[in-house]
Amino acid sequence: MSGYEFGVGDDMNVANQGRFHQPGYVALHLVFRTAGFLTYLICSLIISSFVTSFVIVVVFLSFDFWIVKNVTGRKLVGLRWWNYVNDDGESKWIYESRKPEELKLLSSKEKNIFWIALVAFQVRLDRI
């Protein structure tokens, strides 16, 4: 289980709702989304081996998944989830989101960028 309270230590000013509170996390989110996509597009032009291209793309997409799950999902939109196995051996999935009053502390621009990038890159990959 988690050893800390969700959202504790996030000092954000509600008055600056339209501003970027955490531009580093937004950049991190976009960099890994873009890296996986560009690698997919360009790898076949640079590397002749399909296996090598496949491994590189999977590594970038794995980094992207980890960043979205553990960092940007929590910081930009207030979502987190994990799995643990209890003493009986049953797998338990835990899903959390910030409380409604804490969601007001998140920047609407950052939330929009997070969701647009998450969906747009998937749509782009499906159309290729």
mmCIF file of all heavy atoms in Angstrom, residues 16-41:
data_model
loop_
_atom_site.group_PDB
_atom_site.id
_atom_site.type_symbol
_atom_site.label_atom_id
_atom_site.label_comp_id
_atom_site.label_asym_id
_atom_site.label_seq_id
_atom_site.Cartn_x
_atom_site.Cartn_y
_atom_site.Cartn_z
ATOM 1 N N ASN A 16 -4.036 31.063 -10.127
ATOM 2 C CA ASN A 16 -3.347 30.921 -11.402
ATOM 3 C C ASN A 16 -3.804 29.676 -12.143
ATOM 4 O O ASN A 16 -2.998 28.896 -12.617
ATOM 5 C CB ASN A 16 -1.826 30.863 -11.173
ATOM 6 C CG ASN A 16 -1.293 32.156 -10.625
ATOM 7 O OD1 ASN A 16 -1.804 33.216 -10.939
ATOM 8 N ND2 ASN A 16 -0.270 32.063 -9.805
ATOM 9 N N GLN A 17 -5.106 29.494 -12.270
ATOM 10 C CA GLN A 17 -5.662 28.274 -12.854
ATOM 11 C C GLN A 17 -5.245 28.086 -14.308
ATOM 12 O O GLN A 17 -5.035 26.978 -14.739
ATOM 13 C CB GLN A 17 -7.193 28.313 -12.753
ATOM 14 C CG GLN A 17 -7.883 27.073 -13.225
ATOM 15 C CD GLN A 17 -7.586 25.858 -12.372
ATOM 16 O OE1 GLN A 17 -6.940 25.913 -11.349
ATOM 17 N NE2 GLN A 17 -8.055 24.732 -12.838
ATOM 18 N N GLY A 18 -5.124 29.163 -15.076
ATOM 19 C CA GLY A 18 -4.794 29.043 -16.486
ATOM 20 C C GLY A 18 -3.307 28.917 -16.764
ATOM 21 O O GLY A 18 -2.913 28.664 -17.891
ATOM 22 N N ARG A 19 -2.467 29.074 -15.781
ATOM 23 C CA ARG A 19 -1.020 29.027 -15.974
ATOM 24 C C ARG A 19 -0.500 27.609 -15.799
ATOM 25 O O ARG A 19 -1.150 26.756 -15.234
ATOM 26 C CB ARG A 19 -0.333 29.948 -14.962
ATOM 27 C CG ARG A 19 -0.736 31.404 -15.162
ATOM 28 C CD ARG A 19 0.045 32.305 -14.290
ATOM 29 N NE ARG A 19 1.466 32.119 -14.585
ATOM 30 C CZ ARG A 19 2.432 32.445 -13.761
ATOM 31 N NH1 ARG A 19 2.154 32.953 -12.599
ATOM 32 N NH2 ARG A 19 3.691 32.259 -14.091
ATOM 33 N N PHE A 20 0.731 27.416 -16.285
ATOM 34 C CA PHE A 20 1.392 26.136 -16.075
ATOM 35 C C PHE A 20 2.010 26.131 -14.689
ATOM 36 O O PHE A 20 2.856 26.958 -14.376
ATOM 37 C CB PHE A 20 2.489 25.903 -17.116
ATOM 38 C CG PHE A 20 1.964 25.609 -18.479
ATOM 39 C CD1 PHE A 20 2.096 26.517 -19.504
ATOM 40 C CD2 PHE A 20 1.335 24.404 -18.735
ATOM 41 C CE1 PHE A 20 1.611 26.242 -20.764
ATOM 42 C CE2 PHE A 20 0.847 24.118 -19.998
ATOM 43 C CZ PHE A 20 0.982 25.044 -21.011
ATOM 44 N N HIS A 21 1.576 25.188 -13.853
ATOM 45 C CA HIS A 21 2.145 25.065 -12.516
ATOM 46 C C HIS A 21 3.403 24.205 -12.542
ATOM 47 O O HIS A 21 4.305 24.401 -11.756
ATOM 48 C CB HIS A 21 1.138 24.427 -11.557
ATOM 49 C CG HIS A 21 -0.117 25.211 -11.375
ATOM 50 N ND1 HIS A 21 -0.121 26.501 -10.903
ATOM 51 C CD2 HIS A 21 -1.407 24.883 -11.603
ATOM 52 C CE1 HIS A 21 -1.368 26.933 -10.843
ATOM 53 N NE2 HIS A 21 -2.160 25.976 -11.265
ATOM 54 N N GLN A 22 3.402 23.236 -13.441
ATOM 55 C CA GLN A 22 4.484 22.251 -13.475
ATOM 56 C C GLN A 22 4.933 22.029 -14.920
ATOM 57 O O GLN A 22 4.690 20.971 -15.494
ATOM 58 C CB GLN A 22 3.993 20.939 -12.866
ATOM 59 C CG GLN A 22 3.451 21.148 -11.461
ATOM 60 C CD GLN A 22 2.789 19.914 -10.932
ATOM 61 O OE1 GLN A 22 3.467 19.052 -10.399
ATOM 62 N NE2 GLN A 22 1.480 19.820 -11.084
ATOM 63 N N PRO A 23 5.592 23.011 -15.527
ATOM 64 C CA PRO A 23 5.972 22.877 -16.937
ATOM 65 C C PRO A 23 6.946 21.728 -17.190
ATOM 66 O O PRO A 23 6.957 21.153 -18.283
ATOM 67 C CB PRO A 23 6.595 24.230 -17.277
ATOM 68 C CG PRO A 23 6.970 24.825 -15.976
ATOM 69 C CD PRO A 23 6.009 24.287 -14.966
ATOM 70 N N GLY A 24 7.743 21.371 -16.203
ATOM 71 C CA GLY A 24 8.675 20.258 -16.369
ATOM 72 C C GLY A 24 7.954 18.940 -16.579
ATOM 73 O O GLY A 24 8.363 18.117 -17.418
ATOM 74 N N TYR A 25 6.865 18.730 -15.856
ATOM 75 C CA TYR A 25 6.087 17.497 -16.017
ATOM 76 C C TYR A 25 5.368 17.471 -17.362
ATOM 77 O O TYR A 25 5.240 16.420 -17.992
ATOM 78 C CB TYR A 25 5.086 17.322 -14.884
ATOM 79 C CG TYR A 25 5.734 17.024 -13.560
ATOM 80 C CD1 TYR A 25 5.574 17.867 -12.475
ATOM 81 C CD2 TYR A 25 6.519 15.896 -13.396
ATOM 82 C CE1 TYR A 25 6.168 17.597 -11.261
ATOM 83 C CE2 TYR A 25 7.121 15.612 -12.188
ATOM 84 C CZ TYR A 25 6.942 16.467 -11.127
ATOM 85 O OH TYR A 25 7.541 16.193 -9.933
ATOM 86 N N VAL A 26 4.900 18.630 -17.803
ATOM 87 C CA VAL A 26 4.255 18.711 -19.115
ATOM 88 C C VAL A 26 5.275 18.373 -20.201
ATOM 89 O O VAL A 26 4.998 17.587 -21.104
ATOM 90 C CB VAL A 26 3.657 20.117 -19.348
ATOM 91 C CG1 VAL A 26 3.139 20.255 -20.764
ATOM 92 C CG2 VAL A 26 2.544 20.398 -18.352
ATOM 93 N N ALA A 27 6.463 18.944 -20.097
ATOM 94 C CA ALA A 27 7.520 18.667 -21.074
ATOM 95 C C ALA A 27 7.907 17.186 -21.051
ATOM 96 O O ALA A 27 8.076 16.571 -22.109
ATOM 97 C CB ALA A 27 8.735 19.545 -20.794
ATOM 98 N N LEU A 28 8.045 16.620 -19.865
ATOM 99 C CA LEU A 28 8.387 15.205 -19.732
ATOM 100 C C LEU A 28 7.334 14.328 -20.414
ATOM 101 O O LEU A 28 7.662 13.388 -21.143
ATOM 102 C CB LEU A 28 8.507 14.851 -18.251
ATOM 103 C CG LEU A 28 9.052 13.493 -17.885
ATOM 104 C CD1 LEU A 28 10.524 13.400 -18.261
ATOM 105 C CD2 LEU A 28 8.888 13.262 -16.383
ATOM 106 N N HIS A 29 6.079 14.659 -20.193
ATOM 107 C CA HIS A 29 4.977 13.915 -20.797
ATOM 108 C C HIS A 29 5.060 13.984 -22.324
ATOM 109 O O HIS A 29 4.979 12.961 -23.003
ATOM 110 C CB HIS A 29 3.650 14.496 -20.302
ATOM 111 C CG HIS A 29 2.446 13.789 -20.806
ATOM 112 N ND1 HIS A 29 2.124 12.509 -20.443
ATOM 113 C CD2 HIS A 29 1.476 14.186 -21.666
ATOM 114 C CE1 HIS A 29 0.998 12.149 -21.046
ATOM 115 N NE2 HIS A 29 0.596 13.155 -21.792
ATOM 116 N N LEU A 30 5.251 15.178 -22.853
ATOM 117 C CA LEU A 30 5.294 15.354 -24.301
ATOM 118 C C LEU A 30 6.547 14.752 -24.927
ATOM 119 O O LEU A 30 6.492 14.212 -26.029
ATOM 120 C CB LEU A 30 5.174 16.839 -24.648
ATOM 121 C CG LEU A 30 3.824 17.475 -24.313
ATOM 122 C CD1 LEU A 30 3.863 18.964 -24.591
ATOM 123 C CD2 LEU A 30 2.696 16.804 -25.062
ATOM 124 N N VAL A 31 7.678 14.821 -24.228
ATOM 125 C CA VAL A 31 8.926 14.262 -24.761
ATOM 126 C C VAL A 31 8.804 12.754 -24.941
ATOM 127 O O VAL A 31 9.150 12.212 -26.000
ATOM 128 C CB VAL A 31 10.123 14.613 -23.848
ATOM 129 C CG1 VAL A 31 11.314 13.720 -24.114
ATOM 130 C CG2 VAL A 31 10.504 16.070 -24.023
ATOM 131 N N PHE A 32 8.306 12.053 -23.934
ATOM 132 C CA PHE A 32 8.207 10.600 -24.051
ATOM 133 C C PHE A 32 7.113 10.175 -25.024
ATOM 134 O O PHE A 32 7.247 9.168 -25.710
ATOM 135 C CB PHE A 32 8.026 9.956 -22.681
ATOM 136 C CG PHE A 32 9.324 9.820 -21.949
ATOM 137 C CD1 PHE A 32 9.683 10.723 -20.982
ATOM 138 C CD2 PHE A 32 10.203 8.805 -22.270
ATOM 139 C CE1 PHE A 32 10.891 10.609 -20.319
ATOM 140 C CE2 PHE A 32 11.418 8.681 -21.616
ATOM 141 C CZ PHE A 32 11.765 9.590 -20.643
ATOM 142 N N ARG A 33 6.022 10.928 -25.092
ATOM 143 C CA ARG A 33 4.990 10.637 -26.090
ATOM 144 C C ARG A 33 5.575 10.805 -27.493
ATOM 145 O O ARG A 33 5.381 9.968 -28.364
ATOM 146 C CB ARG A 33 3.811 11.615 -25.952
ATOM 147 C CG ARG A 33 2.992 11.418 -24.723
ATOM 148 C CD ARG A 33 1.749 10.648 -25.027
ATOM 149 N NE ARG A 33 1.904 9.328 -24.477
ATOM 150 C CZ ARG A 33 1.034 8.357 -24.626
ATOM 151 N NH1 ARG A 33 -0.054 8.535 -25.307
ATOM 152 N NH2 ARG A 33 1.222 7.190 -24.101
ATOM 153 N N THR A 34 6.289 11.889 -27.711
ATOM 154 C CA THR A 34 6.868 12.181 -29.017
ATOM 155 C C THR A 34 7.992 11.210 -29.362
ATOM 156 O O THR A 34 8.113 10.785 -30.517
ATOM 157 C CB THR A 34 7.396 13.629 -29.054
ATOM 158 O OG1 THR A 34 6.325 14.510 -28.676
ATOM 159 C CG2 THR A 34 7.896 14.011 -30.425
ATOM 160 N N ALA A 35 8.819 10.853 -28.401
ATOM 161 C CA ALA A 35 9.947 9.946 -28.659
ATOM 162 C C ALA A 35 9.469 8.596 -29.168
ATOM 163 O O ALA A 35 10.021 8.063 -30.136
ATOM 164 C CB ALA A 35 10.773 9.767 -27.386
ATOM 165 N N GLY A 36 8.463 8.047 -28.550
ATOM 166 C CA GLY A 36 7.935 6.762 -29.003
ATOM 167 C C GLY A 36 7.351 6.852 -30.402
ATOM 168 O O GLY A 36 7.574 5.983 -31.254
ATOM 169 N N PHE A 37 6.621 7.920 -30.666
ATOM 170 C CA PHE A 37 5.983 8.101 -31.969
ATOM 171 C C PHE A 37 7.021 8.326 -33.065
ATOM 172 O O PHE A 37 6.979 7.684 -34.122
ATOM 173 C CB PHE A 37 5.002 9.273 -31.890
ATOM 174 C CG PHE A 37 4.270 9.531 -33.167
ATOM 175 C CD1 PHE A 37 3.352 8.609 -33.633
ATOM 176 C CD2 PHE A 37 4.496 10.678 -33.889
ATOM 177 C CE1 PHE A 37 2.659 8.843 -34.821
ATOM 178 C CE2 PHE A 37 3.810 10.917 -35.067
ATOM 179 C CZ PHE A 37 2.891 10.000 -35.531
ATOM 180 N N LEU A 38 7.975 9.232 -32.828
ATOM 181 C CA LEU A 38 8.997 9.511 -33.837
ATOM 182 C C LEU A 38 9.904 8.312 -34.078
ATOM 183 O O LEU A 38 10.321 8.057 -35.209
ATOM 184 C CB LEU A 38 9.820 10.732 -33.443
ATOM 185 C CG LEU A 38 9.103 12.076 -33.539
ATOM 186 C CD1 LEU A 38 10.010 13.208 -33.087
ATOM 187 C CD2 LEU A 38 8.591 12.318 -34.945
ATOM 188 N N THR A 39 10.203 7.588 -33.041
ATOM 189 C CA THR A 39 11.016 6.386 -33.199
ATOM 190 C C THR A 39 10.291 5.386 -34.095
ATOM 191 O O THR A 39 10.899 4.775 -34.966
ATOM 192 C CB THR A 39 11.319 5.751 -31.833
ATOM 193 O OG1 THR A 39 11.967 6.718 -31.019
ATOM 194 C CG2 THR A 39 12.206 4.537 -31.975
ATOM 195 N N TYR A 40 9.014 5.247 -33.898
ATOM 196 C CA TYR A 40 8.206 4.356 -34.723
ATOM 197 C C TYR A 40 8.261 4.770 -36.192
ATOM 198 O O TYR A 40 8.395 3.938 -37.088
ATOM 199 C CB TYR A 40 6.762 4.354 -34.213
ATOM 200 C CG TYR A 40 5.796 3.604 -35.081
ATOM 201 C CD1 TYR A 40 5.789 2.224 -35.099
ATOM 202 C CD2 TYR A 40 4.883 4.286 -35.868
ATOM 203 C CE1 TYR A 40 4.892 1.523 -35.894
ATOM 204 C CE2 TYR A 40 3.983 3.603 -36.660
ATOM 205 C CZ TYR A 40 3.992 2.226 -36.673
ATOM 206 O OH TYR A 40 3.111 1.547 -37.456
ATOM 207 N N LEU A 41 8.168 6.087 -36.442
ATOM 208 C CA LEU A 41 8.162 6.579 -37.814
ATOM 209 C C LEU A 41 9.532 6.527 -38.486
ATOM 210 O O LEU A 41 9.646 6.193 -39.665
ATOM 211 C CB LEU A 41 7.647 8.021 -37.846
ATOM 212 C CG LEU A 41 6.183 8.234 -37.505
ATOM 213 C CD1 LEU A 41 5.864 9.714 -37.518
ATOM 214 C CD2 LEU A 41 5.301 7.486 -38.476
#
